[in-house]
Amino acid sequence: MTRHPLQALLLPSVLALMLQGCATAPPATRYFGVVQSVHDTERIETESNKTNAVLGGLAGAAVGSQMGKGRGKTAMTLLGGAAGAAAGSQINAQQVRVRVQVLSVQLPQGQLMNLEVVDGQYQPGQSVMLKQVGNQVSVDLP
């Protein structure tokens, strides 16, 4: 039975998405604190081109499927798809300015935690709740 070259790329992607929903997230830890200082600034981020990533992935998979035999052919299809997607995402990528606030938050135990918040509207003296999941910390109003 012959398979279309994209089937080798599609099946692992679908399985990965399905299994991702089965993963359990680490428990969240909540901290409460008071904003001590706020520094408004901007940073430049590169926004990748998602359309070109998809097109690059398809083109890379098509080229990769022409190489190798048996399992090597499948591996080359996957590798070509990944390389094509990575390269395609950088074609016409745009640099955008992102407004951020750097917050210094004092926790009840006296520790200071410095955080960067995108598009924040926080003020010194404001009470906030910090939610930590793994290495990620988010800030919200209590």
Side-chain angles (χ1 to χ4, degrees), residues 12 17 19 26 30-32 34 39 45 51-52 59 74-76 82-83 88 106-107 116-117 124-125 136 140:
L17 287 173
L19 291 175
R30 297 186 196 296
Y31 304 95
F32 293 90
V34 177
H39 176 72
E45 289 185 356
T51 302
N52 285 346
T74 301
M76 290 306 291
Q106 185 168 18
L107 302 177
E116 191 174 273
V117 181
Q136 300 294 317
D140 206 353

PDB file of all heavy atoms in Angstrom, residues 12 17 19 26 30-32 34 39 45 51-52 59 74-76 82-83 88 106-107 116-117 124-125 136 140:
ATOM      1  N   PRO A  12       1.623  11.929  12.761  1.00  0.00           N
ATOM      2  CA  PRO A  12       2.308  12.270  14.010  1.00  0.00           C
ATOM      3  C   PRO A  12       1.840  13.611  14.583  1.00  0.00           C
ATOM      4  O   PRO A  12       1.735  13.775  15.791  1.00  0.00           O
ATOM      5  CB  PRO A  12       3.783  12.330  13.623  1.00  0.00           C
ATOM      6  CG  PRO A  12       3.892  11.522  12.393  1.00  0.00           C
ATOM      7  CD  PRO A  12       2.579  11.667  11.689  1.00  0.00           C
ATOM      8  N   LEU A  17      -1.053  16.409  18.980  1.00  0.00           N
ATOM      9  CA  LEU A  17      -2.093  17.324  19.460  1.00  0.00           C
ATOM     10  C   LEU A  17      -3.072  16.609  20.383  1.00  0.00           C
ATOM     11  O   LEU A  17      -3.505  17.156  21.394  1.00  0.00           O
ATOM     12  CB  LEU A  17      -2.836  17.953  18.284  1.00  0.00           C
ATOM     13  CG  LEU A  17      -2.070  19.014  17.508  1.00  0.00           C
ATOM     14  CD1 LEU A  17      -2.858  19.421  16.268  1.00  0.00           C
ATOM     15  CD2 LEU A  17      -1.779  20.217  18.378  1.00  0.00           C
ATOM     16  N   LEU A  19      -2.475  13.913  22.257  1.00  0.00           N
ATOM     17  CA  LEU A  19      -1.801  13.566  23.508  1.00  0.00           C
ATOM     18  C   LEU A  19      -1.518  14.791  24.360  1.00  0.00           C
ATOM     19  O   LEU A  19      -1.454  14.700  25.579  1.00  0.00           O
ATOM     20  CB  LEU A  19      -0.506  12.804  23.219  1.00  0.00           C
ATOM     21  CG  LEU A  19      -0.700  11.400  22.657  1.00  0.00           C
ATOM     22  CD1 LEU A  19       0.650  10.791  22.292  1.00  0.00           C
ATOM     23  CD2 LEU A  19      -1.427  10.515  23.650  1.00  0.00           C
ATOM     24  N   PRO A  26       1.225  21.205  35.985  1.00  0.00           N
ATOM     25  CA  PRO A  26       1.601  21.256  37.396  1.00  0.00           C
ATOM     26  C   PRO A  26       0.621  22.168  38.137  1.00  0.00           C
ATOM     27  O   PRO A  26       0.020  23.061  37.545  1.00  0.00           O
ATOM     28  CB  PRO A  26       3.017  21.836  37.377  1.00  0.00           C
ATOM     29  CG  PRO A  26       3.176  22.462  36.044  1.00  0.00           C
ATOM     30  CD  PRO A  26       2.222  21.787  35.123  1.00  0.00           C
ATOM     31  N   ARG A  30      -0.389  30.383  44.214  1.00  0.00           N
ATOM     32  CA  ARG A  30      -0.829  31.780  44.211  1.00  0.00           C
ATOM     33  C   ARG A  30      -0.123  32.544  45.317  1.00  0.00           C
ATOM     34  O   ARG A  30       0.007  32.063  46.439  1.00  0.00           O
ATOM     35  CB  ARG A  30      -2.337  31.862  44.404  1.00  0.00           C
ATOM     36  CG  ARG A  30      -3.108  31.216  43.295  1.00  0.00           C
ATOM     37  CD  ARG A  30      -4.602  31.458  43.443  1.00  0.00           C
ATOM     38  NE  ARG A  30      -5.445  30.600  42.657  1.00  0.00           N
ATOM     39  CZ  ARG A  30      -5.498  30.542  41.345  1.00  0.00           C
ATOM     40  NH1 ARG A  30      -4.729  31.297  40.628  1.00  0.00           N
ATOM     41  NH2 ARG A  30      -6.321  29.730  40.720  1.00  0.00           N
ATOM     42  N   TYR A  31       0.333  33.743  44.962  1.00  0.00           N
ATOM     43  CA  TYR A  31       0.952  34.656  45.910  1.00  0.00           C
ATOM     44  C   TYR A  31       0.197  35.975  45.827  1.00  0.00           C
ATOM     45  O   TYR A  31      -0.291  36.346  44.766  1.00  0.00           O
ATOM     46  CB  TYR A  31       2.420  34.946  45.542  1.00  0.00           C
ATOM     47  CG  TYR A  31       3.293  33.731  45.405  1.00  0.00           C
ATOM     48  CD1 TYR A  31       3.512  33.157  44.164  1.00  0.00           C
ATOM     49  CD2 TYR A  31       3.921  33.183  46.510  1.00  0.00           C
ATOM     50  CE1 TYR A  31       4.323  32.047  44.024  1.00  0.00           C
ATOM     51  CE2 TYR A  31       4.745  32.075  46.380  1.00  0.00           C
ATOM     52  CZ  TYR A  31       4.941  31.516  45.139  1.00  0.00           C
ATOM     53  OH  TYR A  31       5.751  30.421  45.006  1.00  0.00           O
ATOM     54  N   PHE A  32       0.118  36.675  46.932  1.00  0.00           N
ATOM     55  CA  PHE A  32      -0.469  38.004  46.923  1.00  0.00           C
ATOM     56  C   PHE A  32       0.613  38.985  47.319  1.00  0.00           C
ATOM     57  O   PHE A  32       1.473  38.686  48.145  1.00  0.00           O
ATOM     58  CB  PHE A  32      -1.663  38.072  47.879  1.00  0.00           C
ATOM     59  CG  PHE A  32      -2.812  37.220  47.415  1.00  0.00           C
ATOM     60  CD1 PHE A  32      -2.914  35.897  47.805  1.00  0.00           C
ATOM     61  CD2 PHE A  32      -3.764  37.733  46.555  1.00  0.00           C
ATOM     62  CE1 PHE A  32      -3.962  35.104  47.360  1.00  0.00           C
ATOM     63  CE2 PHE A  32      -4.808  36.949  46.094  1.00  0.00           C
ATOM     64  CZ  PHE A  32      -4.897  35.630  46.507  1.00  0.00           C
ATOM     65  N   VAL A  34       2.022  43.508  46.858  1.00  0.00           N
ATOM     66  CA  VAL A  34       1.727  44.903  46.573  1.00  0.00           C
ATOM     67  C   VAL A  34       2.779  45.427  45.611  1.00  0.00           C
ATOM     68  O   VAL A  34       3.986  45.225  45.828  1.00  0.00           O
ATOM     69  CB  VAL A  34       1.723  45.738  47.878  1.00  0.00           C
ATOM     70  CG1 VAL A  34       1.493  47.209  47.584  1.00  0.00           C
ATOM     71  CG2 VAL A  34       0.669  45.206  48.836  1.00  0.00           C
ATOM     72  N   HIS A  39       7.887  50.368  35.960  1.00  0.00           N
ATOM     73  CA  HIS A  39       8.720  51.001  34.936  1.00  0.00           C
ATOM     74  C   HIS A  39       8.130  50.652  33.575  1.00  0.00           C
ATOM     75  O   HIS A  39       8.113  49.484  33.178  1.00  0.00           O
ATOM     76  CB  HIS A  39      10.168  50.508  35.040  1.00  0.00           C
ATOM     77  CG  HIS A  39      11.059  51.040  33.979  1.00  0.00           C
ATOM     78  ND1 HIS A  39      11.486  52.336  33.934  1.00  0.00           N
ATOM     79  CD2 HIS A  39      11.594  50.435  32.892  1.00  0.00           C
ATOM     80  CE1 HIS A  39      12.240  52.512  32.876  1.00  0.00           C
ATOM     81  NE2 HIS A  39      12.325  51.366  32.224  1.00  0.00           N
ATOM     82  N   GLU A  45       9.961  42.611  19.334  1.00  0.00           N
ATOM     83  CA  GLU A  45       9.802  41.167  19.157  1.00  0.00           C
ATOM     84  C   GLU A  45       9.645  40.856  17.681  1.00  0.00           C
ATOM     85  O   GLU A  45       9.117  41.666  16.927  1.00  0.00           O
ATOM     86  CB  GLU A  45       8.561  40.667  19.906  1.00  0.00           C
ATOM     87  CG  GLU A  45       8.704  40.685  21.396  1.00  0.00           C
ATOM     88  CD  GLU A  45       7.509  40.066  22.103  1.00  0.00           C
ATOM     89  OE1 GLU A  45       6.523  39.684  21.421  1.00  0.00           O
ATOM     90  OE2 GLU A  45       7.560  39.981  23.331  1.00  0.00           O
ATOM     91  N   THR A  51       1.542  31.797   7.869  1.00  0.00           N
ATOM     92  CA  THR A  51       1.172  31.282   6.544  1.00  0.00           C
ATOM     93  C   THR A  51       2.392  30.711   5.846  1.00  0.00           C
ATOM     94  O   THR A  51       2.346  29.612   5.287  1.00  0.00           O
ATOM     95  CB  THR A  51       0.542  32.395   5.689  1.00  0.00           C
ATOM     96  OG1 THR A  51      -0.598  32.898   6.376  1.00  0.00           O
ATOM     97  CG2 THR A  51       0.146  31.880   4.321  1.00  0.00           C
ATOM     98  N   ASN A  52       3.492  31.462   5.888  1.00  0.00           N
ATOM     99  CA  ASN A  52       4.714  30.963   5.255  1.00  0.00           C
ATOM    100  C   ASN A  52       5.270  29.745   5.980  1.00  0.00           C
ATOM    101  O   ASN A  52       5.916  28.895   5.362  1.00  0.00           O
ATOM    102  CB  ASN A  52       5.766  32.066   5.179  1.00  0.00           C
ATOM    103  CG  ASN A  52       5.448  33.087   4.101  1.00  0.00           C
ATOM    104  OD1 ASN A  52       4.600  32.863   3.251  1.00  0.00           O
ATOM    105  ND2 ASN A  52       6.119  34.223   4.138  1.00  0.00           N
ATOM    106  N   ALA A  59       6.137  22.354   1.618  1.00  0.00           N
ATOM    107  CA  ALA A  59       7.171  22.244   0.582  1.00  0.00           C
ATOM    108  C   ALA A  59       8.341  21.393   1.074  1.00  0.00           C
ATOM    109  O   ALA A  59       8.856  20.540   0.342  1.00  0.00           O
ATOM    110  CB  ALA A  59       7.663  23.643   0.182  1.00  0.00           C
ATOM    111  N   THR A  74      10.344   8.258   5.491  1.00  0.00           N
ATOM    112  CA  THR A  74       9.443   8.896   6.460  1.00  0.00           C
ATOM    113  C   THR A  74      10.202   9.919   7.298  1.00  0.00           C
ATOM    114  O   THR A  74       9.728  11.034   7.522  1.00  0.00           O
ATOM    115  CB  THR A  74       8.808   7.833   7.381  1.00  0.00           C
ATOM    116  OG1 THR A  74       8.084   6.899   6.579  1.00  0.00           O
ATOM    117  CG2 THR A  74       7.873   8.466   8.394  1.00  0.00           C
ATOM    118  N   ALA A  75      11.386   9.547   7.746  1.00  0.00           N
ATOM    119  CA  ALA A  75      12.195  10.463   8.549  1.00  0.00           C
ATOM    120  C   ALA A  75      12.563  11.705   7.749  1.00  0.00           C
ATOM    121  O   ALA A  75      12.510  12.829   8.275  1.00  0.00           O
ATOM    122  CB  ALA A  75      13.456   9.754   9.037  1.00  0.00           C
ATOM    123  N   MET A  76      12.917  11.527   6.489  1.00  0.00           N
ATOM    124  CA  MET A  76      13.284  12.678   5.657  1.00  0.00           C
ATOM    125  C   MET A  76      12.064  13.566   5.390  1.00  0.00           C
ATOM    126  O   MET A  76      12.183  14.785   5.309  1.00  0.00           O
ATOM    127  CB  MET A  76      13.905  12.206   4.345  1.00  0.00           C
ATOM    128  CG  MET A  76      15.285  11.587   4.519  1.00  0.00           C
ATOM    129  SD  MET A  76      16.449  12.660   5.384  1.00  0.00           S
ATOM    130  CE  MET A  76      16.684  13.934   4.166  1.00  0.00           C
ATOM    131  N   ALA A  82       9.720  19.898   9.012  1.00  0.00           N
ATOM    132  CA  ALA A  82      10.123  20.744  10.145  1.00  0.00           C
ATOM    133  C   ALA A  82      11.066  21.851   9.695  1.00  0.00           C
ATOM    134  O   ALA A  82      10.911  23.015  10.083  1.00  0.00           O
ATOM    135  CB  ALA A  82      10.779  19.888  11.219  1.00  0.00           C
ATOM    136  N   ALA A  83      12.040  21.502   8.869  1.00  0.00           N
ATOM    137  CA  ALA A  83      12.991  22.505   8.384  1.00  0.00           C
ATOM    138  C   ALA A  83      12.291  23.547   7.510  1.00  0.00           C
ATOM    139  O   ALA A  83      12.548  24.752   7.622  1.00  0.00           O
ATOM    140  CB  ALA A  83      14.118  21.828   7.601  1.00  0.00           C
ATOM    141  N   GLY A  88      10.269  28.857   6.601  1.00  0.00           N
ATOM    142  CA  GLY A  88       9.142  29.632   6.090  1.00  0.00           C
ATOM    143  C   GLY A  88       8.638  30.659   7.083  1.00  0.00           C
ATOM    144  O   GLY A  88       8.215  31.757   6.705  1.00  0.00           O
ATOM    145  N   GLN A 106       6.152  43.367  46.169  1.00  0.00           N
ATOM    146  CA  GLN A 106       6.590  42.894  47.481  1.00  0.00           C
ATOM    147  C   GLN A 106       5.588  41.874  48.000  1.00  0.00           C
ATOM    148  O   GLN A 106       4.385  42.138  48.070  1.00  0.00           O
ATOM    149  CB  GLN A 106       6.726  44.031  48.476  1.00  0.00           C
ATOM    150  CG  GLN A 106       7.305  43.565  49.793  1.00  0.00           C
ATOM    151  CD  GLN A 106       7.718  44.710  50.685  1.00  0.00           C
ATOM    152  OE1 GLN A 106       7.301  45.839  50.490  1.00  0.00           O
ATOM    153  NE2 GLN A 106       8.554  44.406  51.663  1.00  0.00           N
ATOM    154  N   LEU A 107       6.102  40.688  48.341  1.00  0.00           N
ATOM    155  CA  LEU A 107       5.276  39.614  48.879  1.00  0.00           C
ATOM    156  C   LEU A 107       5.150  39.784  50.393  1.00  0.00           C
ATOM    157  O   LEU A 107       5.955  40.490  51.017  1.00  0.00           O
ATOM    158  CB  LEU A 107       5.900  38.263  48.531  1.00  0.00           C
ATOM    159  CG  LEU A 107       6.101  38.003  47.036  1.00  0.00           C
ATOM    160  CD1 LEU A 107       6.799  36.676  46.814  1.00  0.00           C
ATOM    161  CD2 LEU A 107       4.783  38.048  46.295  1.00  0.00           C
ATOM    162  N   GLU A 116       7.848  41.102  34.309  1.00  0.00           N
ATOM    163  CA  GLU A 116       7.575  41.880  33.106  1.00  0.00           C
ATOM    164  C   GLU A 116       6.174  41.520  32.627  1.00  0.00           C
ATOM    165  O   GLU A 116       5.857  40.358  32.440  1.00  0.00           O
ATOM    166  CB  GLU A 116       8.606  41.543  32.036  1.00  0.00           C
ATOM    167  CG  GLU A 116       8.567  42.480  30.870  1.00  0.00           C
ATOM    168  CD  GLU A 116       9.698  42.206  29.899  1.00  0.00           C
ATOM    169  OE1 GLU A 116      10.797  42.761  30.083  1.00  0.00           O
ATOM    170  OE2 GLU A 116       9.464  41.424  28.955  1.00  0.00           O
ATOM    171  N   VAL A 117       5.322  42.551  32.462  1.00  0.00           N
ATOM    172  CA  VAL A 117       3.929  42.346  32.074  1.00  0.00           C
ATOM    173  C   VAL A 117       3.681  43.072  30.764  1.00  0.00           C
ATOM    174  O   VAL A 117       3.967  44.260  30.641  1.00  0.00           O
ATOM    175  CB  VAL A 117       2.972  42.894  33.161  1.00  0.00           C
ATOM    176  CG1 VAL A 117       1.529  42.670  32.767  1.00  0.00           C
ATOM    177  CG2 VAL A 117       3.276  42.259  34.503  1.00  0.00           C
ATOM    178  N   PRO A 124       1.879  51.724  41.384  1.00  0.00           N
ATOM    179  CA  PRO A 124       2.459  51.473  42.709  1.00  0.00           C
ATOM    180  C   PRO A 124       1.380  51.534  43.792  1.00  0.00           C
ATOM    181  O   PRO A 124       0.453  52.340  43.714  1.00  0.00           O
ATOM    182  CB  PRO A 124       3.472  52.610  42.867  1.00  0.00           C
ATOM    183  CG  PRO A 124       3.817  52.997  41.469  1.00  0.00           C
ATOM    184  CD  PRO A 124       2.547  52.817  40.686  1.00  0.00           C
ATOM    185  N   GLY A 125       1.475  50.627  44.769  1.00  0.00           N
ATOM    186  CA  GLY A 125       0.519  50.561  45.856  1.00  0.00           C
ATOM    187  C   GLY A 125      -0.648  49.626  45.583  1.00  0.00           C
ATOM    188  O   GLY A 125      -1.425  49.320  46.491  1.00  0.00           O
ATOM    189  N   GLN A 136       6.367  29.743  34.810  1.00  0.00           N
ATOM    190  CA  GLN A 136       5.603  30.888  34.322  1.00  0.00           C
ATOM    191  C   GLN A 136       4.847  31.549  35.468  1.00  0.00           C
ATOM    192  O   GLN A 136       4.191  30.875  36.253  1.00  0.00           O
ATOM    193  CB  GLN A 136       4.606  30.448  33.251  1.00  0.00           C
ATOM    194  CG  GLN A 136       5.238  29.813  32.030  1.00  0.00           C
ATOM    195  CD  GLN A 136       6.078  30.799  31.256  1.00  0.00           C
ATOM    196  OE1 GLN A 136       5.677  31.929  31.056  1.00  0.00           O
ATOM    197  NE2 GLN A 136       7.245  30.372  30.816  1.00  0.00           N
ATOM    198  N   ASP A 140      -2.381  39.315  38.112  1.00  0.00           N
ATOM    199  CA  ASP A 140      -3.786  39.670  37.959  1.00  0.00           C
ATOM    200  C   ASP A 140      -4.232  40.424  39.196  1.00  0.00           C
ATOM    201  O   ASP A 140      -3.550  40.440  40.220  1.00  0.00           O
ATOM    202  CB  ASP A 140      -4.629  38.395  37.783  1.00  0.00           C
ATOM    203  CG  ASP A 140      -5.918  38.642  37.025  1.00  0.00           C
ATOM    204  OD1 ASP A 140      -6.246  39.809  36.731  1.00  0.00           O
ATOM    205  OD2 ASP A 140      -6.582  37.653  36.699  1.00  0.00           O
TER     206      ASP A 140
END
